[in-house]
């Protein structure tokens, strides 16, 4: 395993109903440090399942996921420790509605990393500033727009200072005019060298920001390469067909 | 009219003043309140534990099955025990449970109030458990996933993120259960405890007044329920503040 590989996935399978449904059917992939890996594919292709397997929100049926030198898909792994290093951003934001924005962002660092409250709040406010929402620190999630909520969800994950951020269709639940503000935050994040794995339908984002694109269909990786290879010169018929529909 | 007032006054004096008969009501009220409060505490404790076991099992059985070992079988066992408990205590009338407790299980017990507290507590626990479980299940799974993805373990996610939301949501239903519990204690007389209802009934047995003692206990129950509603209303408003 080279020093540059952050997550190494081998033979990852996720079967339902004793193998009758194969959401993931043998995935091999490496996520390297500083990369923005964009996963595209038709719905039902298993891309979300794959992403959610990376931090074990989906339990794989078999295969290995090496992260931080440990196979986190194995039995009796303390997954909570590893999840602190893998931030996740959800399609539906999943902010905690009963907490202020600041509390949303500081609860994990304070309770898990045992940071002093003042220090956690200082970091949180700096991050809020970066996404232009420092004046909403004391607001509740219900008072924010979808785009604002998702920006908060991103910085909430950043508060744990993770090694990698996983994005599960971060703009799919947003009104069209709010997609841009979230993508801008993600672009900014990519520039800072954050490792990101992004499941998205935003082909423009994949092409512009992605360092590598993975195309999945039927639970397997059909094709992968740089954005220009994938979008300008697709090899497989599946990818050609997919791109013809979405572009 | 004046005649009617005179009659009510005499009735009142006969039922409550003569021979200090009002003491039957205060003794009864004291027992009713003691039984209700302690039964509610027991009920909430049992309810929380049962709801915790059942939701933990439902939400984690996949992981536990994968890791295997004794933990999975223990949880399956306890989950089964909880289901049997719920089915028995919701499936039979509280009066019958109280009588079985008093006349059979705690046959040698001298203190009926304690037996009543245990009976009502265990019975209420079954209802509270389902209120908590419903509350936990009604929280979007995304809240659990967000908590877990930040690195909280299952218990921490429950305590820091889910339960505060649950309590806010179930408060009205929980109040309903406490009101029902308070009124259910009126069957305590079946096992010889002087609760509020029986206190009024004792007066009725002495004075043969058809109305006054019954109306008196009805009014006292009503005041108790209104007081309870008022207190929970304050708590609820304070919790809801966070959403505006």
């Amino acid at each position: 395993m080279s020093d540059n590989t952050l997550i190494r996935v081998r033979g990852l399978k996720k079967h339902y109903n004793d193998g009758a449904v194969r959401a993931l059917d043998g995935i091999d992939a490496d996520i390297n440090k500083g990369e923005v890996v964009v996963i595209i594919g038709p719905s039902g292709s298993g891309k979300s399942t794959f992403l959610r397997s990376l931090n074990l929100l989906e339990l794989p049926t078999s295969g290995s996921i090496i992260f931080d030198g440990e196979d986190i898909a194995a039995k009796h792994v303390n997954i909570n420790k590893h999840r602190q290093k893998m931030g996740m951003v959800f399609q539906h934001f999943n902010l905690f509605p009963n907490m202020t924005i600041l509390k949303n962002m500081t609860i994990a660092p304070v309770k898990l990393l045992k940071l002093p409250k003042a220090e956690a709040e200082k970091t949180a406010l700096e991050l809020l500033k970066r996404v232009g929402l420092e004046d909403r620190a004391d607001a509740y999630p219900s008072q924010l727009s979808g785009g604002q909520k998702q920006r908060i969800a991103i910085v909430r994950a950043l508060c744990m200072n993770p090694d990698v951020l996983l994005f599960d269709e971060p703009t799919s639940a947003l009104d069209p005019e709010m997609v841009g503000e979230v993508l801008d935050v993600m672009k900014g994040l990519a520039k800072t060298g954050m490792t990101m794995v992004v499941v998205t339908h935003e082909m423009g984002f994949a092409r512009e920001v992605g360092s590598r694109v993975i195309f999945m269909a039927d639970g397997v990786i059909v094709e992968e390469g740089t954005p220009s290879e994938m979008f300008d010169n697709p090899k497989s018929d599946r990818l050609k067909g997919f791109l013809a529909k979405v572009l | 009219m004046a005649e009617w007032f005179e009659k009510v006054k005499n009735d009142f004096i006969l039922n409550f003043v003569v021979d200090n008969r009002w003491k039957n009501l205060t003794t009864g009220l004291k027992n009713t309140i003691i039984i209700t409060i302690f039964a509610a505490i027991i009920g909430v404790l049992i309810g929380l534990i049962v709801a915790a076991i059942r939701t933990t099992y439902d939400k984690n059985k996949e992981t536990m099955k994968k890791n295997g070992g004794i933990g999975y079988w223990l949880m399956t066992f306890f989950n089964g025990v909880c289901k049997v408990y719920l089915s028995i205590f919701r499936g039979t009338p509280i009066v019958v449970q109280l009588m079985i407790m008093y006349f059979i299980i705690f046959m040698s017990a001298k203190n009926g109030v304690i037996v009543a507290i245990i009976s009502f507590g265990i019975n209420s626990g079954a209802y509270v458990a389902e209120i908590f479980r419903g509350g936990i299940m009604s929280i979007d799974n995304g809240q659990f996933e967000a908590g877990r993805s930040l690195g909280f373990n299952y218990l921490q996610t429950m305590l820091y993120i889910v339960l505060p939301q649950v309590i806010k949501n179930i408060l009205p239903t929980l109040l309903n259960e406490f009101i029902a519990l308070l009124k259910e204690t009126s069957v305590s007389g079946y096992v010889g405890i002087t609760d509020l209802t029986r206190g009024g009934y004792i007066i009725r047995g002495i004075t043969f007044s058809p109305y006054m003692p019954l109306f008196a206990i009805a009014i006292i129950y009503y005041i108790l329920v209104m007081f309870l509603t008022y207190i929970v209303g304050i708590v609820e408003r304070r919790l809801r503040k966070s959403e505006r």
Side-chain angles (χ1 to χ4, degrees):
Chain A
M1 188 161 159
S2 80
D3 286 347
N4 210 23
T5 310
L6 194 61
I7 308 175
R8 165 157 295 181
V9 180
R10 288 293 177 268
L12 191 67
K13 290 184 183 176
K14 173 74 181 180
H15 292 177
Y16 296 98
N17 301 338
D18 291 324
V21 182
R22 302 178 169 210
L24 296 178
D25 211 5
I27 302 275
D28 298 320
D30 288 345
I31 312 291
N32 299 317
K33 276 179 196 154
E35 252 189 335
V36 178
V37 178
V38 182
I39 305 172
I40 58 173
S43 58
S45 58
K47 55 193 191 305
S48 269
T49 309
F50 171 53
L51 187 82
R52 289 162 52 82
S53 302
L54 293 180
N55 67 352
L56 259 59
L57 284 185
E58 297 287 347
L59 275 185
T61 310
S62 64
S64 66
I65 301 166
I66 313 286
F67 176 71
D68 232 2
E70 194 175 4
D71 180 6
I72 59 174
K75 281 183 186 182
H76 304 298
V77 170
N78 181 3
I79 186 61
N80 302 311
K81 274 278 163 224
H82 294 292
R83 279 184 181 143
Q84 294 178 12
K85 299 266 111 205
M86 303 172 121
M88 186 154 200
V89 176
F90 300 88
Q91 183 176 359
H92 295 289
F93 332 126
N94 297 346
L95 296 180
F96 308 132
N98 55 330
M99 302 176 195
T100 62
I101 298 310
L102 203 57
K103 187 80 196 287
N104 260 282
M105 295 174 67
T106 53
I107 184 165
V110 169
K111 302 272 188 204
L112 292 172
L113 305 181
K114 308 288 178 207
L115 286 187
K117 195 163 167 252
E119 194 181 318
E121 286 183 352
K122 191 166 156 273
T123 317
L125 286 170
E126 276 165 17
L127 284 165
L128 279 176
K129 207 166 196 166
R130 253 170 68 184
V131 295
L133 289 170
E134 68 271 32
D135 55 332
R136 306 316 303 271
D138 295 319
Y140 285 90
S142 60
Q143 299 164 324
L144 304 182
S145 71
Q148 290 175 326
K149 281 184 201 168
Q150 196 60 299
R151 278 141 72 195
I152 299 292
I154 293 172
V155 286
R156 175 176 73 180
L158 285 178
C159 277
M160 290 296 283
N161 197 16
D163 293 339
V164 54
L165 270 187
L166 312 174
F167 293 83
D168 190 5
E169 305 201 21
T171 57
S172 297
L174 294 176
D175 290 339
E177 77 267 24
M178 291 170 182
V179 170
E181 62 189 73
V182 171
L183 291 183
D184 283 344
V185 169
M186 292 168 64
K187 275 178 212 166
L189 211 50
K191 282 201 190 99
T192 66
M194 171 61 77
T195 312
M196 293 157 65
V197 186
V198 187
V199 170
T200 187
H201 295 291
E202 296 292 328
M203 295 304 146
F205 175 85
R207 185 191 277 266
E208 189 188 337
V209 186
S211 33
R212 194 149 52 91
V213 176
I214 291 177
F215 173 66
M216 283 181 68
D218 298 332
V220 293
I221 293 176
V222 176
E223 197 173 333
E224 64 174 296
T226 63
S228 57
E229 285 168 1
M230 298 286 280
F231 289 109
D232 303 331
N233 203 4
K235 292 182 190 67
S236 63
D237 291 338
R238 291 298 300 264
L239 181 55
K240 281 178 194 161
F242 176 74
L243 290 175
K245 276 187 209 131
V246 298
L247 287 182
Chain B
M1 198 62 182
E3 204 181 312
W4 185 76
F5 269 119
E6 190 64 20
K7 192 178 172 306
V8 171
K9 196 183 126 196
N10 288 339
D11 223 11
F12 187 87
I13 291 172
L14 173 69
N15 278 296
F16 304 125
V17 182
V18 176
D19 287 345
N20 283 338
R21 288 186 185 133
W22 56 272
K23 280 191 173 164
N24 287 300
L25 291 186
T26 49
T27 313
L29 179 61
K30 193 188 84 192
N31 281 334
T32 291
I33 290 176
I34 289 175
I35 294 172
T36 306
I37 290 178
F38 286 100
I41 292 171
I42 294 177
V44 167
L45 288 179
I46 294 180
L48 254 179
I49 293 169
V50 171
I53 292 174
R54 295 208 53 204
T55 49
T56 304
Y57 178 78
D58 284 347
K59 284 190 180 287
N60 294 310
K61 58 181 168 211
E62 212 189 330
T63 319
M64 288 187 299
K65 199 169 187 178
K66 184 187 174 196
N67 284 335
I70 191 99
Y72 174 67
W73 296 110
L74 269 181
M75 278 309 286
T76 311
F77 173 73
F78 283 125
N79 186 52
V81 170
C82 289
K83 276 186 172 171
V84 171
Y85 159 72
L86 291 175
S87 138
I88 290 175
F89 283 87
R90 291 193 304 166
T92 54
I94 175 68
V95 193
V96 178
Q97 290 168 22
L98 182 64
M99 288 197 288
I100 290 176
M101 285 284 197
Y102 189 78
F103 295 124
I104 300 170
I105 298 176
F106 293 107
M107 226 165 77
S108 53
K110 300 242 166 31
N111 192 333
V113 172
I114 290 181
V115 177
I117 288 173
I118 295 172
S119 304
F120 284 109
I122 295 177
N123 179 269
S124 182
Y127 292 92
V128 174
E130 288 299 271
I131 292 172
F132 269 112
R133 196 170 71 90
I136 292 169
M137 288 312 199
S138 75
I139 299 295
D140 180 31
N141 204 38
Q143 295 287 311
F144 283 94
E145 290 189 344
R148 297 305 301 272
S149 78
L150 285 167
F152 287 116
N153 63 31
Y154 179 78
L155 193 66
Q156 290 168 324
T157 307
M158 218 44 170
L159 287 179
Y160 298 143
I161 291 156
V162 178
L163 273 184
Q165 299 181 46
V166 168
I167 288 169
K168 195 156 67 177
N169 290 347
I170 67 172
L171 216 51
T173 330
L174 212 51
L175 168 68
N176 215 19
E177 167 57 23
F178 292 150
I179 291 174
L181 173 63
L182 169 70
K183 292 185 296 186
E184 272 174 0
T185 60
S186 62
V187 301
S188 304
Y190 271 85
V191 295
I193 299 164
T194 308
D195 73 319
L196 181 56
T197 305
R198 193 175 159 86
Y201 213 76
I202 290 172
I203 298 176
R204 205 166 175 257
I206 299 168
T207 63
F208 295 112
S209 288
Y211 315 116
M212 189 71 80
L214 287 180
F215 281 135
I217 57 179
I219 289 168
I220 297 173
Y221 275 116
Y222 185 75
I223 291 171
L224 287 178
V225 171
M226 285 304 109
F227 179 70
L228 205 56
T229 313
Y230 173 73
I231 298 290
V232 177
I234 292 176
V235 177
E236 214 182 322
R237 268 195 300 282
R238 186 167 294 177
L239 287 176
R240 291 261 166 227
K241 217 180 264 175
S242 66
E243 272 162 29
R244 268 179 266 124

